């Protein structure tokens, strides 16, 4: 177990282009401001555990396998990420509507 967290850096998000590809579609253009806000907020975060994440995002769902579900734009969209707390990396796994979200397996996507 790590004892010294002084080396913790800000989160890296892989990849913004996935978010951009989503909000550039005309039918999802209303998600742009919320996704950009989420991106800028998370890239300055310093999470060392899911508890840190939950302190800031109380409505985020920790679903196991390192996966976290965020509600975007007042719960209009779902964003699924995988978080590697040790290496401070957030991998975007899925962004979509609730209907699209209902068709995926969050733990394997």
């Amino acid at each position: 177990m790590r004892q010294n967290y002084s080396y913790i850096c800000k989160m890296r998000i892989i990849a913004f282009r996935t978010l951009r590809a989503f909000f550039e579609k005309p039918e999802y253009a209303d998600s742009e401001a919320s996704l950009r806000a989420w991106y800028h907020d998370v890239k300055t975060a310093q999470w060392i555990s899911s508890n840190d994440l939950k302190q800031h995002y109380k409505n985020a769902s920790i679903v196991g396998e390192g996966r976290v579900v965020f509600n975007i734009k007042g719960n209009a969209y779902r964003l699924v990420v995988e978080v590697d707390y040790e290496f401070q990396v957030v991998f975007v796994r899925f962004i979509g509507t609730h209907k699209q979200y209902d068709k995926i397996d969050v733990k394997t996507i």
Side-chain angles (χ1 to χ4, degrees):
M1 187 164 166
R2 291 177 285 161
Q3 294 178 4
N4 181 355
Y5 297 123
S6 62
Y7 65 90
I8 299 295
C9 58
K10 294 180 167 92
M11 301 300 275
R12 291 177 292 150
I13 302 170
I14 314 285
F16 180 75
R17 70 177 173 261
T18 304
L19 302 177
R20 185 177 51 234
F22 182 78
F23 67 65
E24 284 182 344
K25 294 178 183 174
E27 63 268 32
Y28 307 127
D30 63 336
S31 69
E32 181 175 1
S34 295
L35 286 170
R36 284 186 183 276
W38 176 88
Y39 177 83
H40 290 291
D41 193 35
V42 171
K43 78 177 189 176
T44 62
Q46 294 181 330
W47 301 327
I48 55 175
S49 71
S50 59
N51 290 334
D52 291 336
L53 185 151
K54 286 292 281 183
Q55 285 180 0
H56 190 75
Y57 287 100
K58 295 184 184 345
N59 292 328
S61 299
I62 310 295
V63 294
E65 306 298 323
R67 303 298 164 91
V68 181
V69 180
F70 293 92
N71 297 317
I72 301 295
K73 194 185 175 286
N75 212 14
Y77 301 101
R78 293 278 175 99
L79 172 63
V80 179
V81 302
E82 182 176 354
V83 182
D84 184 324
Y85 298 99
E86 181 178 358
F87 292 102
Q88 296 289 280
V89 180
V90 176
F91 300 94
V92 174
R93 295 294 187 207
F94 170 85
I95 178 67
T97 65
H98 279 269
K99 187 175 182 179
Q100 294 163 337
Y101 172 82
D102 289 341
K103 294 178 182 178
I104 67 166
D105 181 351
V106 175
K107 292 183 180 180
T108 60
I109 195 161

